[in-house]
Amino acid sequence: MLMRSIGMEHFSNIISHTTYQAKTPLSKADKIGSEKKHTALPEKVVNKIKEMAKDGAAKGEYMGKDYISYINSYKEKHVSPDRSKLIALMTPRIMNATYTNGLPFFFKIIGLPFTGQMNGGATGLSMLLYDKTGDEVLSYSSETGWGKRQTRAETQFYDETTAIYYHAYKSARAEMKANASQSNGMGAHSTFDAKA
């Protein structure tokens, strides 16, 4: 196996945010009402998600555009690796890639927590980039171009934020239903008293 290092001239600020880690899985009993205690997210983010879930419940809209935009923006800034800079760094390498007769060429990007594999053969060129945990971050094929791959950290992030939103939304809807039934019950009682 051949492993080489690739320099990163002018791209010293590519950061892998894949250090995000959800807490260890909880037992069924521990999960009930415990998302706040066991979250890897900052409290202000958890509170924002809960607030957006309550607003969504009031509007009858589950995970609306504002929520999706907020979550994706947070993920890109705090969880995901900077894929656009990685693509900018690796595109010139692809353009100048040498024929490897289809054999994999392994490399490490100097100063960054990424490794890769490149294959150059008769059918074209392909590349895979991995983060420090071994998750595939990007792929390239001369036939289809660049493709993003979701990392475990991103999957855990979506699982955790979805659970927080779901529980807050469900609680808000239950509270609204209870308030509506209480209002309807009081209204019916008042009508009954008026007739008596």
Side-chain angles (χ1 to χ4, degrees), residues 56-192:
K59 295 175 187 173
E61 178 182 60
Y62 188 77
M63 291 190 181
K65 287 189 276 186
D66 291 342
Y67 171 76
I68 298 297
S69 176
Y70 173 74
I71 287 302
N72 286 335
S73 174
Y74 184 89
K75 179 186 70 76
E76 289 301 316
K77 290 177 186 171
H78 302 284
V79 181
S80 300
D82 192 336
R83 290 180 174 94
S84 60
K85 285 189 178 180
L86 279 170
I87 289 170
L89 175 65
M90 299 311 297
T91 298
R93 306 286 181 200
I94 289 170
M95 299 304 171
N96 298 318
T98 57
Y99 179 76
T100 65
N101 197 25
L103 298 173
F105 165 74
F106 298 93
F107 59 89
K108 176 171 178 24
I109 303 174
I110 296 172
L112 296 177
F114 298 98
T115 57
Q117 172 185 333
M118 191 181 302
N119 296 321
T123 59
L125 180 76
S126 66
M127 178 188 290
L128 300 172
L129 289 176
Y130 304 95
D131 66 13
K132 65 184 176 185
T133 66
D135 285 345
E136 187 179 326
V137 175
L138 284 168
S139 65
Y140 175 83
S141 164
S142 51
E143 295 175 5
T144 58
W146 287 103
K148 296 178 181 180
R149 300 290 184 259
Q150 187 167 293
T151 64
R152 279 176 286 188
E154 290 169 316
T155 300
Q156 288 174 347
F157 170 77
Y158 279 132
D159 288 349
E160 187 172 353
T161 54
T162 299
I164 293 166
Y165 187 97
Y166 170 78
H167 290 298
Y169 184 90
K170 186 177 172 184
S171 294
R173 294 294 286 179
E175 188 177 326
M176 289 166 57
K177 189 175 180 180
N179 289 342
S181 355
Q182 192 175 30
S183 297
N184 289 340
M186 287 179 136
H189 183 67
S190 298
T191 307
F192 180 75

Side-chain angles (χ1 to χ4, degrees), residues 43-53 67 70 165:
E43 189 174 341
K44 69 178 185 173
V45 175
V46 172
N47 291 337
K48 177 74 172 172
I49 292 169
K50 288 179 177 181
E51 178 187 316
M52 294 181 97
Y67 171 76
Y70 173 74
Y165 187 97

Side-chain angles (χ1 to χ4, degrees), residues 7-14 85 88-89 93:
M8 53 170 221
E9 306 82 28
H10 311 298
F11 289 96
S12 59
N13 292 329
I14 301 175
K85 285 189 178 180
L89 175 65
R93 306 286 181 200

